[in-house]
């Protein structure tokens, strides 16, 4: 099972207040009722997707955010570590950049483990499965188990599992191998992915593109083989297949494919499908609370005893805040100190520091 009964029950409870008067199969009806729970707060439902039921706000992002106190520079490391049972770490920009390990990471993780802290690595990158990420950690000299990895590729499959998505329905994937592997492990039929990367559409008078009417969900993630064929195929499924779900692994604007610069992220692929379908996606990755709810239930921990460590304000830090956790921003990735302290920034973490190895160096300096 990819999803504990506790998580499934939690999601069914969320959907209980939504309308049950739907002619669609129970599982897809459940998916519709859950759709709005994972929407970003700024989204609005167009006439094409009103059938998904009442919109719910995601987490705690509200007008009170503007009143949040400015982030404090991390100084009392012992106090933070003692108050936390589980540390959630983003990967890109926190643990590594591209294929290069960030300085001081191994010693920091060893120190936290020696204190009995649970470590979980939460990434919005869907290009790899948990098993593939395990190999990357190993290549970088880090000992991390598959159970400690939670990628958005797995989140997509886990979400489908949690709503009892019909096994006789198919999933069309705009994304890479990680999503395919997690769907396969969950027992779902899929099509698309890298295989459609070389396909082209020959536009000529009267040409009509066919698509599989048995596709019940379109999952969109980061895709280096993105093309017009995939845009059109996914669009047809979402617009023409009754009850078809539109699921995004994440909406990150940029990503770290190399340590030399930032690259266009999965949000650009998701945005293309939003534009052509006039639909907002159900987002399973950060800052959606789905991943947090899953982890809290899986490990049986209080969210107040979790600290989310990340380099992005609008995904990592907001994810922690939406989930009711402590938050620590590191300046080793996307967010600079100038961005954090900008008057236009309303997302303030509890603490910030340069990189996670400060948990060791600041602790040593205080002795």
């Amino acid at each position: 099972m990819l999803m504990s009964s506790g998580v499934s029950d939690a999601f069914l409870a969320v959907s209980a207040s939504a309308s049950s008067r739907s002619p669609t199969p129970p599982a897809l009806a459940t998916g519709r009722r859950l759709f709005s729970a994972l929407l970003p707060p700024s989204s609005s439902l167009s006439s094409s997707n009103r059938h998904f039921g009442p919109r719910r706000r995601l987490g705690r992002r509200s007008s009170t955010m503007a009143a949040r106190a400015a982030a404090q520079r991390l100084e009392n490391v012992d106090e933070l570590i003692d108050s936390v049972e589980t540390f959630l770490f983003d990967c890109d920009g926190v643990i590594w950049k591209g294929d290069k390990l960030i300085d001081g990471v191994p010693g920091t993780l060893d120190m936290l483990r020696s204190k009995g802290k649970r470590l979980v690595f939460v990434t919005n990158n869907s290009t790899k499965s948990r098993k593939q990420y395990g190999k990357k950690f190993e290549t970088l000299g880090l000992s991390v188990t598959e159970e400690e990895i939670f990628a958005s590729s797995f989140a997509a499959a886990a979400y489908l599992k949690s709503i009892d998505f019909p096994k006789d329905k198919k999933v069309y994937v705009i994304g890479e191998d990680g999503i395919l592997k997690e769907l396969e492990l969950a027992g779902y039929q899929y099509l698309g992915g890298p295989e459609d990367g070389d396909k082209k559409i020959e536009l000529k008078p009267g040409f009509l593109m066919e698509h599989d009417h048995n596709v019940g969900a379109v999952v969109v993630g980061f895709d280096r083989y993105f093309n017009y064929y995939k845009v059109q195929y996914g669009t047809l499924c979402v617009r023409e297949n009754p009850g078809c779900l539109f699921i995004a692994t994440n909406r990150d604007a940029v990503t770290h494919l190399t340590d030399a610069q930032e690259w266009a992220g999965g949000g650009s692929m998701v945005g293309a499908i939003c534009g052509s379908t006039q639909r907002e996606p159900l987002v399973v990755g950060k800052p959606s609370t789905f991943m947090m709810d899953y982890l809290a239930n899986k490990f049986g921990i209080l969210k107040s005893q979790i600290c989310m460590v990340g380099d992005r304000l609008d995904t990592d830090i907001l994810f922690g805040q939406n989930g009711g956790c402590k938050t620590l921003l590191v300046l080793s990735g996307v967010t600079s100190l100038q961005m954090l302290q900008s008057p236009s920034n309303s997302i303030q973490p509890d603490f910030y520091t340069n990189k996670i190895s400060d948990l060791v160096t600041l602790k040593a300096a205080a002795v």
Side-chain angles (χ1 to χ4, degrees):
M1 287 289 289
L2 288 175
M3 178 63 60
S4 68
S5 59
V7 175
S8 296
D9 292 343
F11 271 85
L12 290 175
V14 167
S15 64
S17 61
S19 170
S20 60
R21 293 174 293 179
S22 173
T24 57
L28 286 183
T30 301
R32 289 178 175 182
R33 293 195 297 273
L34 290 173
F35 177 90
S36 55
L38 285 88
L39 281 173
S42 60
S43 66
S44 59
L45 299 182
S46 68
S47 59
S48 65
N49 55 31
R50 285 177 186 150
H51 61 288
F52 278 89
R55 181 161 63 101
R56 296 171 59 92
R57 286 205 174 272
L58 178 65
R60 303 184 301 164
R61 190 180 189 182
S62 66
S63 58
T64 59
M65 184 64 69
R68 183 180 293 275
Q72 301 177 42
R73 179 178 286 279
L74 181 64
E75 293 179 352
N76 194 331
V77 175
D78 283 334
E79 183 177 337
L80 175 62
I81 293 176
D82 291 344
S83 68
V84 171
E85 180 183 345
T86 299
F87 281 89
L88 305 184
F89 290 101
D90 177 47
C91 294
D92 296 326
V94 177
I95 304 299
W96 59 64
K97 274 192 174 183
D99 291 320
K100 183 179 180 181
L101 195 65
I102 292 175
D103 292 342
V105 167
T108 305
L109 301 184
D110 288 344
M111 181 272 289
L112 293 174
R113 289 189 192 279
S114 72
K115 289 185 168 294
K117 306 302 176 181
R118 179 185 290 108
L119 309 183
V120 181
F121 301 87
V122 185
T123 176
N124 266 357
N125 192 327
S126 63
T127 61
K128 295 180 175 63
S129 65
R130 290 166 297 163
K131 188 172 184 177
Q132 289 172 316
Y133 265 112
K135 291 181 179 178
K136 177 165 184 174
F137 277 103
E138 185 179 349
T139 299
L140 293 172
L142 300 175
S143 179
V144 175
T145 67
E146 190 174 309
E147 286 292 301
E148 295 175 316
I149 301 169
F150 201 98
S152 63
S153 53
F154 170 69
Y159 175 75
L160 291 173
K161 193 83 170 179
S162 76
I163 62 169
D164 294 325
F165 182 76
K167 290 295 179 72
D168 60 347
K169 285 288 184 178
K170 299 177 184 177
V171 180
Y172 183 69
V173 177
I174 299 176
E176 300 193 14
D177 195 47
I179 299 174
L180 303 187
K181 288 187 179 301
E182 294 294 355
L183 288 174
E184 185 176 355
L185 286 172
Y188 291 114
Q189 304 175 66
Y190 61 81
L191 61 156
E195 184 177 293
D196 284 356
D198 294 328
K199 294 182 179 179
K200 297 180 180 179
I201 298 176
E202 185 180 349
L203 296 175
K204 53 188 177 182
F207 175 74
L208 175 70
M209 183 175 177
E210 300 288 348
H211 75 284
D212 192 328
H213 293 276
N214 201 37
V215 170
V218 173
V219 175
V220 184
F222 179 76
D223 191 343
R224 285 169 289 188
Y225 313 102
F226 191 67
N227 58 23
Y228 189 66
Y229 178 93
K230 295 183 180 183
V231 173
Q232 179 65 4
Y233 201 101
T235 298
L236 291 172
C237 292
V238 171
R239 295 185 64 169
E240 298 186 11
N241 292 4
C244 184
L245 300 174
F246 172 20
I247 299 172
T249 60
N250 68 87
R251 300 187 78 164
D252 292 3
V254 297
T255 188
H256 292 116
L257 297 180
T258 69
D259 61 350
Q261 65 179 172
E262 292 178 348
W263 299 80
S268 57
M269 292 82 193
V270 175
I273 306 302
C274 289
S276 61
T277 63
Q278 293 298 289
R279 284 263 297 274
E280 286 295 314
L282 181 156
V283 183
V284 295
K286 297 173 290 186
S288 161
T289 57
F290 174 76
M291 299 170 88
M292 186 71 73
D293 293 337
Y294 176 91
L295 290 167
N297 279 274
K298 177 178 180 178
F299 295 115
I301 51 178
L302 297 174
K303 294 178 183 178
S304 60
Q305 295 179 333
I306 298 174
C307 180
M308 177 64 211
V309 184
D311 69 312
R312 297 173 187 263
L313 294 168
D314 60 347
T315 55
D316 301 326
I317 302 307
L318 190 57
F319 171 63
Q321 291 175 350
N322 285 339
C325 306
K326 295 180 176 65
T327 53
L328 172 62
L329 175 76
V330 290
L331 305 176
S332 53
V334 169
T335 306
S336 66
L337 183 59
Q338 182 180 8
M339 293 165 63
L340 171 64
Q341 297 178 340
S342 169
S344 63
N345 171 44
S346 63
I347 304 174
Q348 294 290 328
D350 293 314
F351 306 100
Y352 72 92
T353 194
N354 291 324
K355 52 188 177 180
I356 67 169
S357 59
D358 290 345
L359 291 172
V360 174
T361 56
L362 290 175
K363 183 177 174 61
V367 175

